C-alpha cells in the first residue's frame, strides 16, 4: 500500500534509483532536474510504496479533474503487486476528491496488466474512469 504521498528529500533519495531507471527506459519530456523542481514546488506529487515510486500531476482540464501519471519505477521483481495495490488505493482517494480520470502513457509491456485493472486505451494513453 501507499507508504508516502508527497515529496521529502529523504524519501526521494530512497526511491531515486527506481525513478531514474524508469526515465532511462522510457525517456519523458523531462529530466531529473525538472522532476525535482516540480516535486519541490508541489506541482507534481511523489507517491511511494516499500518497493516502488510514482510521480503524478493533478490537473484540471476543461473543468475535469484528472490524475496524470508521469513516471513509475520500482525494484525489479517486487514492485508490480505494490503498484497495482497503490493504484487502487490512489484511485479511491481521487474519486473521493472529485477526480474523474487517472491517465498515463505506460510502456507497452504494461498495457495488458493495466487493462485488466480497468484502464482503457484512448489514443496513446491508458485511461481509468473514476466513478462514484
Amino acid at each position: 500500500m501507499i507508504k508516502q504521498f508527497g515529496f521529502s528529500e529523504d524519501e526521494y533519495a530512497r526511491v531515486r534509483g527506481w525513478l531514474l531507471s524508469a526515465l532511462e527506459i522510457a525517456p519523458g519530456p523531462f529530466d531529473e532536474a525538472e522532476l525535482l523542481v516540480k516535486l519541490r514546488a508541489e506541482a507534481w506529487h511523489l507517491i511511494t510504496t516499500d518497493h516502488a515510486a510514482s510521480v503524478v500531476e493533478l490537473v484540471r482540464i476543461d473543468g475535469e479533474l484528472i490524475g496524470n501519471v508521469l513516471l513509475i519505477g520500482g525494484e525489479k521483481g517486487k514492485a508490480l503487486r505494490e503498484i497495482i495495490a497503490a493504484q487502487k488505493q490512489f484511485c479511491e482517494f481521487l474519486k473521493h476528491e472529485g477526480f474523474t480520470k487517472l491517465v498515463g502513457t505506460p510502456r507497452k509491456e504494461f498495457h495488458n496488466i493495466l487493462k485488466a485493472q480497468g484502464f482503457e486505451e484512448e489514443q496513446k494513453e491508458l485511461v481509468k474512469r473514476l466513478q462514484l
Side-chain angles (χ1 to χ4, degrees):
M1 295 308 250
I2 293 176
K3 178 176 180 155
Q4 183 173 318
F5 179 90
F7 179 78
S8 76
E9 297 289 342
D10 288 342
E11 189 66 355
Y12 181 79
R14 184 181 76 83
V15 301
R16 180 178 182 258
W18 300 331
L19 295 175
L20 293 181
S21 178
L23 276 174
E24 285 177 21
I25 292 168
F30 56 88
D31 60 12
E32 185 183 24
E34 182 179 359
L35 174 65
L36 280 168
V37 166
K38 298 279 190 171
L39 287 170
R40 288 176 177 139
E42 297 181 0
W44 295 349
H45 307 280
L46 180 65
I47 302 170
T48 64
T49 66
D50 287 335
H51 301 100
S54 63
V55 176
V56 178
E57 176 183 35
L58 304 177
V59 295
R60 182 182 299 271
I61 299 174
D62 297 329
E64 189 174 23
L65 293 171
I66 298 170
N68 181 22
V69 179
L70 301 169
L71 187 63
I72 294 180
E75 187 174 347
K76 208 171 222 163
K78 294 186 179 184
L80 188 57
R81 273 193 212 142
E82 287 184 14
I83 290 168
I84 296 300
Q87 175 263 136
K88 290 177 183 177
Q89 186 180 4
F90 188 58
C91 284
E92 288 303 314
F93 165 78
L94 290 176
K95 280 195 290 190
H96 182 265
E97 296 299 314
F99 284 74
T100 57
K101 289 189 236 179
L102 180 64
V103 302
T105 309
R107 298 190 330 243
K108 277 284 188 202
E109 57 266 31
F110 294 114
H111 282 215
N112 288 338
I113 294 166
L114 292 171
K115 285 179 182 177
Q117 300 301 315
F119 284 79
E120 300 169 350
E121 210 161 342
E122 289 185 13
Q123 296 166 359
K124 292 184 179 184
E125 291 184 325
L126 286 184
V127 176
K128 182 163 188 173
R129 300 196 184 289
L130 307 174
Q131 301 167 5
L132 293 174

